[in-house]
Amino acid sequence: MAKVFKKASRNGQLVLYLGKRDFVDHVESVDPVEGVLKIDQSALGGRKVWLQMTCAFRYGSEDLDVIGLSFRKDIWMQHLQLFPPAGHNPTITPLHEALQKKAGEEGLPFTIEIPTNLPCSVTLQPGEDNKSKACGVDFEVKAYMAMEADNPDEQVDKQDTCRLIIRKIQYAPNQTGPGPKLAIMKCFMTSDKPVHMELSLDKEIFYHGNPIPVKIKVTNKTSKVINKVKISVDQTTDVVLYSADKYTKNILSQEFLETIEAEGTFEKALSITPLLANNKDKKGLALDGKLKDEDTNLASSAIIRPGMERDIMGILVSYKIKVNLVSGGGGFLGGLTASEVTGEIPLILMHPKPKGNN
């Protein structure tokens, strides 16, 4: 085991041990959360020891115009009583055994199964002046001492609590379909003859940070010269807990000085690479779930499986590539004389499956 993640309560009477913080959604199943909790039983004073795992959606005042308040909505929650023992008898794995050696004789093993219908971890990028807890969907494992698992009238001392944020992530599937295609016929302003444009990607899914060749084929039947091709990528974030809260942010805009003569043709693949590094200043941009002091990247596209409920997904992220063919726009009048033909195709961004991860 390369690394152990350990978190102790302030008084040191509870210590939580995990062997990893990234848990993979394999579509049919999700990696179980296997860990060990070390308990100082002499400090219980008749209380029980509980383990709680939560998938929650956090949102703050600046993100949804709620005046002076910060909110959290629990999407899913599970409680386990670890001490006194109450029937939780997980199958002991090599990971449990390794963590048990770290925790010693006071360690109790546990396993929590994550349902397949929950969203993956997503963070909304805060503004530069906002250092508070990021908004988004996160998963948390918490251990605490209390008489009951979830009694709102019982005050649980923060000294008796320890917690770790974990991530639910999804990798690109081994088998993917064909890339998207679009064929359109449109006219420039003040032109009565059309432009035929075909757009395509050579595969269905692209990996974060890799170049994306956009194949463009144009038949220009007009008398206008096309002197520029603009390619942009937009990220759309749909906060499905609030049906009206859907917004789009541009994450890439690139111009290519390609000339397509009047009544001419054009066929070429133009390469783009959308990166978070170029969008650090955009508040509210959706990112893959972020652990403290670790780098992340643009959020992966949300994959909704058959039977999944949209409203339990918290945040849905999607991307589209927009291609503009620009005619004119030079001279004294500049953009006032420019005319454009536009087409859009969807883009799926995900992580590749690491070697050895089945």
Side-chain angles (χ1 to χ4, degrees):
M1 186 169 52
K3 190 172 184 179
V4 173
F5 296 94
K6 172 182 172 183
K7 192 64 177 287
S9 60
R10 292 181 186 176
N11 55 24
Q13 293 165 358
L14 295 176
V15 186
L16 183 61
Y17 295 85
L18 295 178
K20 60 181 182 179
R21 294 179 77 177
D22 284 345
F23 296 85
V24 181
D25 182 344
H26 301 278
V27 180
E28 296 85 7
S29 64
V30 183
D31 290 347
V33 180
E34 298 173 346
V36 168
L37 182 66
K38 181 179 179 180
I39 304 170
D40 180 357
Q41 297 178 18
S42 66
L44 292 178
R47 294 171 296 175
K48 300 173 183 178
V49 177
W50 304 89
L51 197 72
Q52 173 185 294
M53 182 164 166
T54 310
C55 171
F57 174 61
R58 303 177 189 274
Y59 52 100
S61 57
E62 293 184 2
D63 298 89
L64 290 178
D65 286 335
V66 181
I67 300 174
L69 296 174
S70 181
F71 289 99
R72 164 194 175 99
K73 180 177 176 64
D74 292 330
I75 298 172
W76 171 84
M77 181 184 294
Q78 182 177 342
H79 291 96
L80 292 175
Q81 180 181 320
L82 284 190
F83 190 86
H88 180 65
N89 298 305
T91 300
I92 301 302
T93 66
L95 177 57
H96 283 127
E97 293 174 348
L99 295 174
Q100 191 83 51
K101 290 178 182 178
K102 298 283 186 181
E105 295 181 357
E106 295 179 315
L108 294 178
F110 64 85
T111 298
I112 302 175
E113 302 289 342
I114 303 176
T116 57
N117 65 338
L118 295 179
C120 290
S121 301
V122 179
T123 297
L124 298 182
Q125 182 164 260
E128 292 183 1
D129 57 343
N130 185 359
K131 303 300 181 183
S132 60
K133 196 160 191 174
C135 297
V137 173
D138 65 27
F139 288 77
E140 180 185 79
V141 180
K142 181 174 79 171
Y144 58 99
M145 301 177 187
M147 299 301 295
E148 297 180 41
D150 190 20
N151 183 351
D153 296 327
E154 183 178 5
Q155 186 71 33
V156 178
D157 196 327
K158 291 184 178 180
Q159 299 280 341
D160 300 325
T161 302
C162 58
R163 60 185 74 203
L164 271 173
I165 297 293
I166 63 174
R167 286 190 293 202
K168 178 174 175 283
I169 59 177
Q170 196 172 47
Y171 295 126
N174 292 326
Q175 302 295 325
T176 61
K181 295 181 178 180
L182 171 75
I184 60 170
M185 182 172 64
K186 291 185 177 180
C187 293
F188 285 119
M189 191 182 305
T190 72
S191 175
D192 58 353
K193 292 186 178 180
V195 173
H196 294 264
M197 178 167 64
E198 296 179 18
L199 305 177
S200 63
L201 302 178
D202 59 11
K203 54 186 178 181
E204 182 185 23
I205 297 174
F206 286 85
Y207 300 147
H208 292 287
N210 285 5
I212 302 168
V214 182
K215 296 180 180 178
I216 305 171
K217 185 177 181 180
V218 178
T219 300
N220 181 13
K221 295 189 174 182
T222 75
S223 59
K224 292 178 175 287
V225 175
I226 297 168
N227 48 24
K228 189 187 302 180
V229 178
K230 294 196 299 187
I231 302 181
S232 59
V233 180
D234 289 343
Q235 179 197 78
T236 297
T237 302
D238 187 357
V239 183
V240 292
L241 290 171
Y242 304 90
S243 58
D245 199 57
K246 184 174 183 177
Y247 52 93
T248 298
K249 292 184 180 292
N250 175 263
I251 59 169
L252 179 143
S253 186
Q254 198 167 337
E255 295 187 354
F256 299 85
L257 298 178
E258 302 284 350
T259 300
I260 308 172
E261 299 293 345
E263 300 184 355
T265 60
F266 172 85
E267 187 170 356
K268 195 171 184 179
L270 301 177
S271 185
I272 58 172
T273 309
L275 295 170
L276 174 58
N278 301 326
N279 293 277
K280 290 283 192 179
D281 59 337
K282 293 182 179 173
K283 180 184 173 183
L285 196 67
L287 316 177
D288 272 343
K290 185 176 181 180
L291 301 177
K292 187 177 180 181
D293 300 327
E294 289 188 13
D295 288 333
T296 184
N297 46 263
L298 295 167
S300 296
S301 300
I303 305 299
I304 302 179
R305 296 187 290 273
M308 293 184 74
E309 299 178 24
R310 275 177 56 90
D311 59 355
I312 205 174
M313 296 299 293
I315 296 175
L316 296 177
V317 177
S318 60
Y319 296 89
K320 65 181 177 183
I321 296 174
K322 185 186 299 183
V323 177
N324 290 47
L325 305 178
V326 183
S327 173
F332 179 73
L333 293 177
L336 294 175
T337 61
S339 185
E340 300 186 2
V341 166
T342 303
E344 298 178 357
I345 50 175
L347 168 66
I348 298 178
L349 283 178
M350 298 189 76
H351 289 288
K353 188 175 294 185
K355 292 181 180 180
N357 195 312
N358 296 323

